[in-house]
Amino acid sequence: MLLAPIVWVLTVAICYFFFAQTWWFPPPISAHGADYDQHFNRTLLVTGIIFFLAQVALGYVIVRFRDNGGRARYSHGHNTLEVLWTSAAAVLFVGLVLTGSRIWANVHFAPAPAGALPIQALGKQFAWSFRYPGPDGKFGRTDLKLVNDEGGNPFGLDDKDPAAKDDIMSASLKIPAGRPVVLQLIAQDVIHNFFVRELRLKQDLVPGIVIPFHFQADKPGDYEVACSELCGLGHHQMRSVMNVMPEAEFEKWKKDQAAQQ
Ligand SMILES: [Cu+2]
């Protein structure tokens, strides 16, 4: 008999913490993040209601069919009911997946909007590096043989290429607020993963291919960039920061950096 109230109390406590959002994500900083959260909440509400009803029913069954000294009855089940709730669950979950995949595909399958700011993001054990084309708008040539971390050349930039002279290197990701950016994700050794919680976005970096990845952050601030793919012993230290700046401030930063090249 004690089991039923324990199940009910636990159910109410769990539902309370989800509903009150006691331990929750940081607020989103992009339109995609807001869409994503809306879908997450919708899914949570649907599954939460089912969870709540199922647990209440479980407690009821515990009380109703407890051992009262009588003979146990054997049931063969109920085919109509089985078919009914299996198809209801299938329709519900396929529906949720379909609406959710559209939000996902909008970021991962749609091409970057025209005029998106290109930035190269390099992941390696265990650090991030970012590269901007200078005032000429072109990324300079790179060569793996020239990669030299101590010498401040993580990308292996080839000095002999005129387009490489003005490229800007940064250990943190600086981007303008309210403007789409397209990251070209590259990995030098193993698979890494670019993850910013506030963007609600994750994307693998795979050695040997360049993966374009676009988004737009609207709220200025500093946000953590974390590697989200277990990439070796130092994986936990592989983090950087994404500074989202007002457009004018970003342009000024870029100009200052270009002057130092
Ligand atoms: Cu990593």
Side-chain angles (χ1 to χ4, degrees), residues 17-99:
F17 285 119
F18 272 103
F19 193 69
Q21 308 197 333
T22 313
W23 298 284
W24 213 247
F25 328 124
I29 56 166
S30 62
H32 165 81
D35 287 350
Y36 180 98
D37 279 17
Q38 201 182 36
H39 184 68
F40 184 91
N41 286 330
R42 200 183 302 139
T43 308
L44 192 62
L45 185 70
V46 171
T47 50
I49 290 171
I50 296 169
F51 168 77
F52 183 81
L53 294 177
Q55 296 308 106
V56 169
L58 176 64
Y60 166 77
V61 167
I62 290 170
V63 175
R64 174 81 175 71
F65 298 104
R66 68 185 184 280
D67 181 11
N68 50 14
R71 269 174 69 90
R73 262 189 307 124
Y74 181 72
S75 159
H76 282 282
H78 196 297
N79 283 344
T80 319
L81 273 180
E82 291 277 353
V83 169
L84 213 69
W85 62 53
T86 308
S87 8
V91 168
L92 194 67
F93 286 108
V94 169
L96 283 172
V97 166
L98 286 180
T99 45

Side-chain angles (χ1 to χ4, degrees), residues 191-192 227 229 231 235 238:
I191 298 176
H192 300 279
C227 177
E229 182 74 57
C231 58
H235 164 67
M238 187 168 166

